[in-house]
């Protein structure tokens, strides 16, 4: 198992700053979503070469929502796929879109499947090695809904398991999610939260209600060998403490689970 963090936690940092922080914390990789205050990663990397000796970038995060993507959105996403291929990054994250409180619209599902086929056809034509990976998020915050989309495809989409969202929003136990879709899970997001009257608030790793030790015990027992990112969403929640304050808490959770961050 490899450990890293999403650059959402330090959205104004450069790649070099994020890399230095990850190395200092003994982490293995980066998940890149925001750098230098921008979400436009093709533009960022066009102006900022990757420093020599940088950690691998395991996932590149896009803003593509499959159920509502138009032609311009898909064309922009191709820039992320091309960049991922140049960086040697295996996965480009996509969202399904929508709200979990609403039923999935069959027409929007068919549209999402059409978008996936278009991406795959373009990747094959260009020889891009990266692949889109669907985050279990928003309307797709449980296994059944991800499987419903995959049933419309010739080959299923790989999954990025947002372990918090399937538990907190999707209402699935960690064991049930794993049993349902583990063959498709290529990457995992980890975060913690505490319920409030309005919903929930994110809190430092290990200080909330998320069953952190259950997650890492499950992954260890099942021999999971992919990546786990701390997703500290300071980009969207600027009230959160700096990423530097959350990373030691993440390390504490990992040590309690029997891992060292550099293992």
């Amino acid at each position: 198992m490899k450990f890293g963090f999403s650059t959402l936690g330090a959205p104004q940092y450069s790649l070099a700053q994020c890399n230095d922080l990850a190395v200092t914390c003994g982490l293995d990789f980066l998940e890149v979503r925001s750098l230098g205050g921008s979400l436009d990663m093709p533009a960022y990397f066009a102006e900022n070469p990757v420093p020599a000796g940088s950690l691998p970038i395991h996932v590149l995060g896009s803003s593509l929502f499959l159920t509502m993507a138009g032609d311009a959105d898909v064309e922009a996403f191709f820039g992320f796929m091309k960049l991922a291929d140049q960086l040697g990054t295996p996965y480009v994250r996509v969202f399904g879109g929508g709200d979990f409180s609403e039923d999935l619209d069959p027409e929007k599902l068919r549209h999402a499947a059409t978008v996936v086929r278009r991406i795959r056809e373009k990747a094959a034509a260009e020889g891009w090695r990266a692949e889109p990976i669907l985050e279990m998020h928003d309307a797709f915050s449980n296994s059944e809904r991800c499987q419903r989309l995959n049933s419309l495809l010739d080959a299923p989409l790989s999954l990025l398991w947002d372990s918090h969202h399937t538990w907190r929003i999707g209402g699935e136990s960690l064991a049930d999610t794993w049993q349902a879709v583990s063959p498709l899970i290529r990457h995992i997001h980890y975060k913690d939260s505490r319920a409030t009257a309005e919903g929930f608030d994110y809190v430092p790793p290990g200080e909330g209600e998320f069953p952190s030790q259950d997650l890492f015990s499950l992954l260890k027992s099942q021999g999971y060998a992919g990546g786990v990112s701390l997703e500290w969403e300071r980009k969207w929640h600027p009230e959160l403490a700096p990423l530097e304050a959350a990373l030691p808490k993440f390390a504490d959770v990992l040590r309690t689970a029997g891992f060292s961050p550099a293992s």
Side-chain angles (χ1 to χ4, degrees), residues 216-234:
F216 290 106
S217 294
L218 172 67
L219 298 179
K220 181 185 288 188
S221 69
Q222 296 299 312
Y224 174 71
V228 179
S229 287
L230 171 65
E231 192 181 37
W232 187 243
E233 296 188 346
R234 199 164 190 235

Side-chain angles (χ1 to χ4, degrees), residues 82-257:
K82 181 179 180 180
L83 173 61
D85 192 70
Q86 293 168 345
L87 295 173
T89 297
Y91 305 113
V92 184
R93 189 279 314 283
V94 300
F95 293 116
D99 192 305
F100 190 76
S101 65
E102 301 173 357
D103 291 336
L104 287 178
D105 183 328
E107 183 57 37
K108 288 184 177 180
L109 272 179
R110 287 191 287 271
H111 178 75
T114 298
V115 171
V116 173
R117 284 191 286 270
R118 181 176 170 187
I119 291 169
R120 287 173 167 172
E121 289 168 1
K122 177 71 170 179
E126 298 290 341
W128 294 332
R129 295 158 293 178
E131 64 172 291
I133 183 171
L134 174 66
E135 181 164 352
M136 301 179 77
H137 198 277
D138 45 60
F140 293 81
S141 292
N142 72 7
S143 303
E144 186 274 333
R145 292 189 173 195
C146 296
Q147 291 167 321
R148 209 184 307 176
L149 173 57
N150 275 336
S151 72
L152 302 178
L153 300 170
D154 292 336
L157 274 170
S158 296
L159 298 177
L160 190 164
W161 181 16
D162 187 320
S163 58
H164 173 273
H165 274 35
T166 57
W167 167 80
R168 173 71 78 184
I169 295 173
E172 262 183 356
S173 73
L174 301 177
D176 284 349
T177 304
W178 183 265
Q179 182 175 11
V181 295
S182 59
L184 299 176
I185 294 172
R186 303 289 180 265
H187 190 74
I188 296 172
H189 281 170
Y190 165 73
K191 54 199 170 198
D192 203 349
S193 70
R194 187 176 296 117
T196 67
E198 296 75 27
F200 63 88
D201 288 336
Y202 291 120
V203 298
E207 295 187 5
E209 297 158 345
F210 180 79
S212 301
Q213 293 308 312
D214 290 349
L215 173 66
F216 290 106
S217 294
L218 172 67
L219 298 179
K220 181 185 288 188
S221 69
Q222 296 299 312
Y224 174 71
V228 179
S229 287
L230 171 65
E231 192 181 37
W232 187 243
E233 296 188 346
R234 199 164 190 235
K235 169 69 176 177
W236 313 127
H237 301 277
E239 73 279 3
L240 293 176
L243 178 60
E244 288 86 345
L247 284 169
K249 302 290 188 179
F250 183 41
D252 288 343
V253 169
L254 294 180
R255 278 191 288 268
T256 301

